[in-house]
Amino acid sequence: MINIFQPSLGEEEIKALRKLFKTNWLGRGPIEKKFVDTISKKLKISSSSEGGYSFVQSKNLTTLNCCTEGLFQSMSLIGIGPGDEVILPSLSFVGAANAVIDCGATPVFCDVEVDTFNTTAKHIEPLITRNTKAVILLHYGGVPCDIYPIIELCKKHNIKVIEDNANSPFSSHKGRSTGTIGDYGIWSFDSMKMLVMGDGALFYAKNEDDIDKLKSLSYLGMTSKSGFDNVSSETWWEFEVNCAGRRSIINDINATLGMVQLEKIDGFISRRKLIHDLYCEELSDIENLYLPKPINSYDVSSYYLFHVRTPYRNKFAKYLRDNGIYVTLKYHPLHKVSFYKNNTIDKLWNKNLPNTDLIGDTAICLPLHQGLTDDEINKTIKLIKTFFNERIFQK
């Protein structure tokens, strides 16, 4: 079966893990810190009117065990609770809506553009009420959304902007890395992502004080060090706690994988771009098959997903799967999930999401990862052409 997602792991990762094991320390330690420092140097932010850029400061970053935890923790940092509303695209990961509901707030689903699968300010603005406290954005499939009009809209209403950057680890919009433009940004490094740590995430906060709070929230509420880290105290086993925090950290095993993957990530993205461009070239003239909008010249994509739309989606997906190619839709629209319907109120339930409904009925994602061989890519393209050109959808 040709996989839609697949990690690229090799001898380099094994060698690094062997070296780690010899240290006898596998918990969170110096390698996690090195990972944060290293990835901060890859995340660009716009600088002066000279048109240059600088890098994100590591003091604005921390790691977590997963992106979903980051979404949950962002609700805590903002102080969102019962009676509050959070706007997010219906075409989002389930963890985003769960984070809103878990703190007693109401998810308000907005529509997206049919050619990018990203939301825009025009879809968000009509849903803003005096109870709106945050907007969660998704840069779908690695392609940045038009975020600056959303930022301006949210500033006007004193609304926080959270970037779900799970799809877009090294994408950028007008010279700035996605995930660092809003108030908060969360990256995912799980087993299906581009940079694989087994499980893991990166969290950005514009205000570094929020990072200090999050470090406490994600490690049992502890505010002082103990054990080997507490070298200055005569009673090194003592500690202080300032809240009932959870334990949602990564360890140096995760970070070791991440460090090796960081050395490879540019090559991964280059290979993904090649496959993306080949799909666009080979599939552009097929009748009844609609490709994504070309990426803007001022955007850089990390090419996480490649989506297509066809009115014959279900037959098309089954045909590919039956012929050894696994496809899926990322993501099933949340407003079609009964649990979320039962956890909102009628006046906020936006039933008019025509673009999302169209995507939910016609879209599918094709395999796109750096491990695809030329033969696998050619097989996928050939089968797609056969399905449409021989009109198999009519049989």
Side-chain angles (χ1 to χ4, degrees):
M1 182 71 74
I2 297 175
N3 295 325
I4 189 167
F5 305 117
Q6 186 172 300
S8 295
L9 300 167
E11 186 60 34
E12 299 88 351
E13 284 84 359
I14 294 173
K15 182 179 178 180
L17 287 172
R18 285 198 189 103
K19 183 178 179 181
L20 172 69
F21 293 165
K22 290 179 181 179
T23 69
N24 289 325
W25 179 257
L26 304 183
R28 185 175 67 178
I31 301 179
E32 185 271 344
K33 183 179 186 304
K34 184 177 180 182
F35 175 78
V36 173
D37 290 341
T38 303
I39 200 169
S40 70
K41 294 179 173 61
K42 287 186 71 69
L43 300 176
K44 301 174 182 178
I45 59 174
S46 304
S47 61
S48 62
S49 58
E50 298 171 1
Y53 60 84
S54 57
F55 298 106
V56 175
Q57 298 295 306
S58 58
K59 63 186 179 183
N60 295 98
L61 299 170
T62 192
T63 54
L64 292 168
N65 62 340
C66 66
C67 184
T68 299
E69 176 68 10
L71 291 164
F72 274 67
Q73 293 285 13
S74 67
M75 300 292 104
S76 296
L77 291 172
I78 297 170
I80 292 175
D84 295 334
E85 299 162 16
V86 178
I87 299 172
L88 68 159
S90 175
L91 201 70
S92 294
F93 180 56
V94 62
N98 287 351
V100 178
I101 289 174
D102 181 71
C103 64
T106 301
V108 180
F109 297 121
C110 65
D111 211 354
V112 297
E113 294 295 291
V114 76
D115 54 357
T116 64
F117 293 15
N118 280 327
T119 195
T120 63
K122 75 175 183 181
H123 295 302
I124 294 170
E125 186 169 18
L127 301 176
I128 293 175
T129 73
R130 64 181 182 179
N131 296 321
T132 306
K133 295 299 188 294
V135 169
I136 301 176
L137 302 175
L138 175 70
H139 301 286
Y140 186 90
V143 179
C145 69
D146 188 14
I147 189 171
Y148 285 109
I150 298 173
I151 295 285
E152 291 304 311
L153 174 65
C154 289
K155 281 183 179 178
K156 178 181 176 183
H157 295 277
N158 194 28
I159 295 169
K160 297 293 186 181
V161 176
I162 303 163
E163 294 177 77
D164 181 345
N165 209 47
N167 285 194
S168 311
F170 298 99
S171 299
S172 63
H173 179 63
K174 297 182 178 179
R176 184 160 187 166
S177 293
T178 56
T180 70
I181 305 172
D183 297 287
Y184 305 99
I186 309 112
W187 292 248
S188 175
F189 305 129
D190 70 27
S191 59
M192 294 190 295
K193 295 303 188 297
M194 296 167 59
L195 188 154
V196 171
M197 298 172 66
D199 269 312
L202 186 73
F203 191 101
Y204 165 86
K206 183 179 295 184
N207 185 339
E208 63 187 80
D209 289 342
D210 284 335
I211 293 297
D212 292 335
K213 294 176 185 176
L214 181 55
K215 287 180 178 179
S216 180
L217 286 166
S218 63
Y219 195 60
L220 306 170
M222 295 181 68
T223 60
S224 58
K225 296 179 179 180
S226 63
F228 284 118
D229 288 334
N230 194 357
V231 296
S232 62
S233 175
E234 293 182 355
T235 52
W236 54 87
W237 50 84
E238 296 180 357
F239 58 87
E240 290 295 334
V241 171
N242 67 357
C243 66
R246 301 196 287 261
R247 190 178 188 278
S248 50
I249 59 174
I250 69 166
N251 55 48
D252 274 6
I253 299 175
N254 306 122
T256 294
L257 289 172
M259 286 298 300
V260 179
Q261 291 272 291
L262 273 174
E263 296 176 2
K264 300 180 176 183
I265 193 64
D266 291 342
F268 291 171
I269 294 174
S270 294
R271 177 64 175 172
R272 286 170 173 266
K273 183 179 186 303
L274 186 151
I275 298 167
H276 173 279
D277 292 348
L278 190 59
Y279 279 152
C280 290
E281 179 182 348
E282 292 290 332
L283 304 177
S284 61
D285 295 330
I286 296 179
E287 186 179 359
N288 292 312
L289 185 69
Y290 304 96
L291 305 186
K293 176 184 175 182
I295 296 168
N296 295 317
S297 60
Y298 48 78
D299 285 331
V300 175
S301 176
S302 50
Y303 302 99
Y304 179 57
L305 298 171
F306 189 93
H307 60 83
V308 297
R309 291 188 300 106
T310 174
Y312 310 106
R313 191 271 308 277
N314 290 358
K315 286 187 176 181
F316 177 55
K318 185 176 185 302
Y319 174 78
L320 291 179
R321 190 184 63 180
D322 289 347
N323 283 277
I325 299 172
Y326 187 79
V327 294
T328 191
L329 175 58
K330 301 284 285 188
Y331 301 92
H332 179 58
L334 298 180
H335 75 280
K336 294 187 176 184
V337 177
S338 58
F339 174 76
Y340 301 121
K341 292 182 182 180
N342 296 333
N343 280 277
T344 188
I345 51 180
D346 289 341
K347 70 176 182 178
L348 293 175
W349 183 248
N350 188 353
K351 299 182 177 70
N352 186 27
L353 303 175
N355 292 343
T356 303
D357 287 335
L358 179 62
I359 290 166
D361 292 339
T362 64
I364 202 75
C365 296
L366 304 180
L368 179 59
H369 58 82
Q370 61 274 3
L372 287 170
T373 66
D374 291 348
D375 287 344
E376 288 172 331
I377 298 165
N378 291 332
K379 176 183 177 180
T380 301
I381 291 171
K382 182 179 179 180
L383 283 169
I384 293 171
K385 288 182 176 180
T386 298
F387 179 83
F388 287 100
N389 293 342
E390 298 185 10
R391 305 184 75 79
I392 291 176
F393 52 82
Q394 291 183 334
K395 297 178 183 179

